[in-house]
Amino acid sequence: MGELLWYFPETIKELKEIITTSVGVVPHSGGTGLLKGDVRKYKGLVDLGRLHISNIEEKDDFVEIGAMATYGDILRYFKDKNNNALLYKSLLNAASFPLRNRITIGGSVAYFPPWTDVMGPLFALSAQVYLTGEKEGWYSILDYATNRELHKKTVVLKIRYKKDVDTGRSAHYRAKRTQIDHPAFTITLLLYVRDERVHSASFYVVGTKDKFKRLNVLEKQVIGKNVKEIDPESMSLDEVEFYGKVQFSPEYQKTLFITEVKRKLRDILETLK
Amino acid sequence: MKGIFIINSEKKELEFEPHKRLLDVLRENGYTEVKEGCREGECGACVVLLDGRPVNSCQVLAASVMEREITTSKGIGSLHNPHPIQEAFAEAGAVQCGFCTPGMVVSTYALLSENPTPDDKDIKYALSGNICRCTGYAKIIKAVKLASKKVKENGK
């Protein structure tokens, strides 16, 4: 292994130059994901800390979050503004208190570890990511998560979602053993009700065999229904497969998933009755 | 590589390997009050303030925080000039083996800086990243409440 090189771009132009011309370099945001392995395997790390991309703001119809915003920054932003925001609820117990001051949203999106608390909510919110590098522009988070081509020689600079998307009723569940445990999987439910009827829903589970899954079967059973007529207990669920993790066996995760999806859906419905 | 770090309000030029974690760089340069526990960001023994916010120094690559302000528990108060938070931990009997205490003190300092009068829920939340295997936490919570009172009286 050669000596690890650090790059400290101060402008997006410099960043783009490094990321598109250097071989074997990876972006470094908070670094918590990179430290799960030996960073010496990389030729270079490109630190994003001097680019000033941690701002969170409402811009036109969107909430826009800079890639270097930490979970702590996001929680502080929403605390007084809207503690019903899906990101606020889902990040409130993510990782641990000090780790939340280090884990960045951009790093989580780019690295997408199976235990992340942020991807389910971003899928549910139909978020978009802005990339720079060989590909420049806004991409849907679903495209970014599933198309590896979008990861090559690019860096996530910001994430956004439409403000009005976050006005639904939502719930987030983490399958964990203890408070500071990595969740084995997470469930995110977001639904919109008009005149007591569910007019749209967006349900995701992250941490499955296929990394994540949209719960289309369940969504179809609630859309169009009067909230008083929905009985989570009698609903059939999507086929979701899990792989064995340190925390739980695949079978246990499946049982937990079925129980908790229904429980969280019931919790949301209770607030509407 | 070499880099400038502002540690406990002092500018220090340190030499370190590019892959080193902040925890290791601090300890190798005499800041042994920063304890090494799990090295996975779960126990909180290595918590320091980075620009005023608590972080697990084992989860920070040192090169990424050059020129930034780092505060360890000794930067908050020392043996001969303890901070009211450190006095409170001693007075409340919140220290047994003492291994988690530097991290607890740093997290408490960060909490009281933002919220000078925390309730039990606030304290448990702010210290949720600091594990103590001796005390059972009751005396730690008591210490934080005592610290809140002392800080208010001392104006620190």
Side-chain angles (χ1 to χ4, degrees):
Chain A
M1 271 184 247
E3 192 174 81
L4 176 71
L5 288 173
W6 278 88
Y7 300 85
F8 298 99
E10 292 184 356
T11 64
I12 304 298
K13 199 178 161 199
E14 284 174 26
L15 167 70
K16 204 171 161 179
E17 172 78 18
I18 297 164
I19 215 81
T20 53
T21 57
S22 310
V23 179
V25 299
V26 294
H28 169 277
S29 44
T32 55
L34 291 173
L35 282 167
K36 298 276 176 211
D38 187 348
V39 292
R40 285 175 293 184
K41 71 182 176 196
Y42 304 111
K43 283 196 174 142
L45 296 179
V46 187
D47 186 60
L48 310 182
R50 298 176 190 193
L51 294 167
H52 307 290
I53 49 168
S54 60
N55 202 27
I56 308 172
E57 60 183 341
E58 289 191 9
K59 220 172 174 182
D60 304 321
D61 295 335
F62 292 90
V63 174
E64 202 170 285
I65 305 170
M68 284 295 282
T70 63
Y71 287 7
D73 293 333
I74 296 169
L75 288 168
R76 283 185 286 276
Y77 175 82
F78 282 116
K79 192 178 177 191
D80 301 318
K81 226 175 197 72
N82 175 15
N83 61 16
N84 208 33
L86 180 52
L87 276 182
Y88 182 80
K89 287 194 278 191
S90 57
L91 296 183
L92 203 53
N93 292 304
S96 70
F97 194 92
L99 273 178
R100 288 194 287 274
N101 285 323
R102 199 62 193 161
I103 304 173
T104 63
I105 189 166
S108 296
V109 167
Y111 176 46
F112 192 177
W115 56 81
T116 179
D117 280 276
V118 87
M119 289 304 274
L122 291 178
F123 288 142
L125 293 166
S126 305
Q128 297 172 312
V129 297
Y130 187 88
L131 305 179
T132 192
E134 278 199 348
K135 291 172 187 72
E136 185 106 26
W138 288 104
Y139 293 85
S140 93
I141 190 133
L142 273 169
D143 284 347
Y144 184 71
T146 51
N147 182 356
R148 293 307 298 173
E149 285 302 309
L150 291 177
H151 291 246
K152 287 180 186 163
K153 293 188 178 287
T154 63
V155 176
V156 176
L157 285 188
K158 47 195 170 184
I159 291 104
R160 72 176 183 186
Y161 60 87
K162 279 201 161 167
K163 270 187 282 182
D164 60 8
V165 177
D166 202 11
T167 52
R169 300 287 175 137
S170 61
H172 183 75
Y173 170 76
R174 323 174 69 230
K176 62 191 190 304
R177 295 165 299 184
T178 62
Q179 185 56 54
I180 57 162
D181 205 6
H182 284 117
F185 63 88
T186 59
I187 301 165
T188 306
L189 307 180
L190 178 62
L191 58 84
Y192 306 88
V193 177
R194 197 182 298 144
D195 301 328
E196 295 194 340
R197 253 171 222 289
V198 177
H199 71 89
S200 69
S202 189
F203 301 160
Y204 283 89
V205 55
V206 170
T208 63
K209 233 177 194 173
D210 303 322
K211 212 161 188 182
F212 71 96
K213 190 177 170 77
R214 183 165 188 170
L215 305 175
N216 293 303
V217 173
L218 187 62
E219 286 176 9
K220 277 181 192 154
Q221 290 170 87
V222 298
I223 294 171
K225 287 249 176 78
N226 186 300
V227 290
K228 287 174 187 155
E229 288 162 9
I230 300 172
D231 175 20
E233 289 310 316
S234 66
M235 287 181 163
S236 49
L237 286 183
D238 303 65
E239 266 309 311
V240 175
E241 294 295 328
F242 294 92
Y243 59 92
K245 300 189 185 105
V246 182
Q247 302 96 323
F248 307 122
S249 69
E251 297 77 20
Y252 185 75
Q253 288 176 76
K254 206 164 180 175
T255 307
L256 199 57
F257 163 72
I258 294 166
T259 308
E260 292 298 339
V261 165
K262 292 182 174 181
R263 188 175 283 166
K264 287 288 166 196
L265 184 56
R266 199 171 51 233
D267 289 349
I268 294 178
L269 294 169
E270 284 300 320
T271 66
L272 293 163
K273 285 177 184 168
Chain B
M1 67 192 288
K2 275 184 184 174
I4 304 277
F5 297 83
I6 304 153
I7 307 171
N8 298 335
S9 305
E10 277 181 39
K11 251 189 182 181
K12 296 266 179 185
E13 189 182 29
L14 305 177
E15 195 163 356
F16 58 99
E17 289 175 84
H19 67 278
K20 286 276 182 168
R21 297 166 192 234
L22 178 61
L23 163 68
D24 299 320
V25 173
L26 288 171
R27 287 187 60 83
E28 283 162 13
N29 285 282
Y31 299 94
T32 51
E33 67 273 26
V34 185
K35 301 298 179 198
E36 178 180 343
C38 66
R39 283 184 84 81
E40 291 189 354
E42 293 185 359
C43 74
C46 68
V47 168
V48 297
L49 298 180
L50 178 62
D51 295 334
R53 303 234 184 261
V55 297
N56 304 91
S57 59
C58 72
Q59 294 299 298
V60 176
L61 283 163
S64 69
V65 293
M66 291 185 299
E67 315 279 344
R68 308 267 299 268
E69 277 193 39
I70 296 149
T71 310
T72 72
S73 58
K74 275 192 183 166
I76 292 170
S78 61
L79 184 64
H80 299 294
N81 186 20
H83 187 275
I85 293 172
Q86 290 157 325
E87 288 174 349
F89 267 71
E91 282 171 33
V95 182
Q96 281 191 29
C97 84
F99 195 80
C100 71
T101 311
M104 291 280 182
V105 165
V106 171
S107 292
T108 303
Y109 185 86
L111 166 68
L112 298 183
S113 303
E114 275 195 12
N115 177 3
T117 51
D119 60 21
D120 280 25
K121 201 176 149 207
D122 299 328
I123 297 168
K124 285 178 188 171
Y125 186 69
L127 297 187
S128 59
N130 295 79
I131 293 174
C132 171
R133 300 289 80 171
C134 305
T135 65
Y137 302 101
K139 288 188 176 177
I140 291 173
I141 293 169
K142 198 175 153 193
V144 178
K145 284 183 173 168
L146 179 60
S148 156
K149 208 173 141 195
K150 278 174 171 279
V151 168
K152 223 171 168 183
E153 286 165 5
N154 282 266
K156 271 198 185 179

